[in-house]
Amino acid sequence: MTISLRNRRAGAAATATALALASLAALAGTATPASASGRVTTAGPATTATALAPEPAAAPKPASPAASASPAPGDPAVPSALTLPRPTGPYATGRDTLFLTDHERTDPWVPAAGARRLLVSLHYPARPGSGGDPAPYMPEAEARLMLTQRGLDDPEWPGLVAATRTSSRTDARPAPGRFPLVLLSPGFGTPRATLTGLAEELASRGHVVATTDHPYESTGTELPDGRVLTCAACDEVDAQPDEAGRRKVLAAVSAGRAADFSFLLDRLTGPRPAWRHARTIDARRVGMAGHSIGGNAAASTMAADRRVDAGVTMDGTFFDPVAARGLDGRPFLMLGTDPGHAPGAGDTSWDEGWARLDGFKRWLTVRDSGHFTFTDTPAIGEQLGIADPDAPLSAARSTAITRAYVTAFFDRSLRGRPARLLDGPTPAHPEVLFQRP
């Protein structure tokens, strides 16, 4: 893979970026990953934060020992601020954050940590003009760990990435009505913030969106008390002696996330909801999407919890296979890279999963895309001057395609609206291929 930095001096920084993007392609969607807010609410008795004992947490391992170089003063390639593309729907968007504790489960990766905890970003349709400041993108500590793991050691970048400007407002008043709920799960080793752009788009189009960090499965998850949990699950994958062992651990990641989301559904739609605006959720209409292992988790959650009505995987290998019985006729969208996720290509789990899906289904691949095309990575990377010739699809096209097909699928599946975009190829999106194996 050849990587270049647009408008940046060649040398150590370019080398670090090349190696970093190589590790990005390997992380989360393959069998051998590398090691690796707004208003925060701690919910009521069923989900209270317990006293946190010191926990073992492996330090993140850089993708390579490559050196990094600081940008020259006044370098025009260094932006003064990063921004996410604005959502296109008719609603303004609000953002809350929940910190939940499942006292019925012990953390699967660090049992000494006690009960399983989740950090959840909730994006929702809001009244125009309400709310406070724009919701923050991610804590700087999380940005630093994420970038360091990928070999991106430029000292200015963690602050820039953390301060990425979003379109959602804290403390915004919800729009009137009840809305479908969409659950989002990020890739393995990747913070939930990297799905913010998609979450804001879905919220602007009339969905409540709950995006979840799964502790010890990300390069860094900052808790409300300021401590940061690193990726014990990544270390568990690295410790396996062979491919079969790694796949087994990653299957456990996906199945464990299904338990996380069933708990989250209980706390958002049950009799004692944890979220102050839970009345805006229509619990009869629930979808789930995820990137990479998060996409596998969408299928795992649907197999385990009948409350989830539709699912999307964005370039995710089915380490935990689609249930042999299918998904009880519920719809599922597979959206991935081309040719990597084309029929008969390298990821045979898609061929096997497709055969088992027993409801409305679509298998779409995107030319010139990369594993992280379906996240905020293209938009942020392009502003930082990162170019990947192996995935030349622009940030604008990456954003437009992901938004268009994911929202069309949920409009059809959760709202019963026509979605002609899913009927076949369209000149508006020539990169998207409809696969009919």
Side-chain angles (χ1 to χ4, degrees), residues 312-315 333-337 350 364 366 374 402 405-406:
V312 179
T313 179
M314 296 180 290
D315 216 50
L333 169 65
M334 304 194 315
L335 176 65
T337 53
W350 276 39
L364 309 181
V366 183
F374 312 101
T402 303
Y405 285 92
V406 173

Side-chain angles (χ1 to χ4, degrees), residues 92-158:
T93 58
R95 215 278 307 276
D96 272 350
T97 303
L98 288 181
F99 179 52
L100 306 177
T101 301
D102 183 357
H103 294 291
E104 301 299 318
R105 299 169 58 218
T106 299
D107 190 277
W109 308 114
V110 183
R116 181 67 161 169
R117 290 157 295 177
L118 301 178
L119 271 165
V120 184
S121 294
L122 284 151
H123 290 84
Y124 55 94
R127 295 177 185 269
S130 67
D133 295 330
Y137 185 63
M138 71 163 66
E140 187 167 343
E142 290 186 10
R144 181 176 297 106
L145 288 166
M146 180 181 69
L147 293 168
T148 298
Q149 193 281 332
R150 289 147 174 79
L152 296 171
D153 296 324
D154 189 310
E156 290 193 18
W157 284 5

Side-chain angles (χ1 to χ4, degrees), residues 72-320:
D75 187 338
V78 180
S80 58
L82 307 180
T83 60
L84 293 181
R86 292 189 63 82
T88 64
Y91 291 99
T93 58
R95 215 278 307 276
D96 272 350
T97 303
L98 288 181
F99 179 52
L100 306 177
T101 301
D102 183 357
H103 294 291
E104 301 299 318
R105 299 169 58 218
T106 299
D107 190 277
W109 308 114
V110 183
R116 181 67 161 169
R117 290 157 295 177
L118 301 178
L119 271 165
V120 184
S121 294
L122 284 151
H123 290 84
Y124 55 94
R127 295 177 185 269
S130 67
D133 295 330
Y137 185 63
M138 71 163 66
E140 187 167 343
E142 290 186 10
R144 181 176 297 106
L145 288 166
M146 180 181 69
L147 293 168
T148 298
Q149 193 281 332
R150 289 147 174 79
L152 296 171
D153 296 324
D154 189 310
E156 290 193 18
W157 284 5
L160 283 170
V161 171
T164 298
R165 187 174 179 85
T166 69
S167 296
S168 299
R169 297 279 174 170
T170 60
D171 293 316
R173 289 186 297 151
R178 300 183 71 205
F179 304 98
L181 172 65
V182 175
L183 310 173
L184 290 183
S185 187
F188 188 60
T190 307
R192 73 187 189 279
T194 56
L195 294 177
T196 298
L198 179 58
E200 290 189 329
E201 177 69 12
L202 288 166
S204 80
R205 290 174 174 261
H207 300 81
V208 174
V209 186
T211 311
T212 303
D213 257 337
H214 309 270
Y216 302 110
E217 297 174 20
S218 171
T219 48
T221 302
E222 185 174 289
L223 301 180
D225 65 3
R227 284 192 304 113
V228 179
L229 311 182
T230 54
C231 196
C234 299
D235 296 328
E236 183 69 19
V237 172
D238 285 345
Q240 300 306 306
D242 53 27
E243 172 109 352
R246 291 187 286 271
R247 294 184 72 89
K248 184 176 180 180
V249 174
L250 290 167
V253 170
S254 185
R257 291 190 179 191
D260 289 343
F261 280 107
S262 287
F263 165 70
L264 177 58
L265 278 172
D266 291 343
R267 298 304 294 130
L268 291 178
T269 65
R272 298 176 62 196
W275 183 40
R276 57 180 175 157
H277 301 312
R279 66 185 182 280
T280 64
I281 295 173
D282 182 350
R284 300 167 301 173
R285 297 182 290 169
V286 179
M288 180 169 172
H291 171 244
S292 197
I293 198 74
N296 189 179
S300 298
T301 304
M302 290 179 72
D305 197 320
R306 192 62 182 81
R307 290 175 293 179
V308 182
D309 301 302
V312 179
T313 179
M314 296 180 290
D315 216 50
T317 294
F318 294 109
F319 296 108
D320 183 27

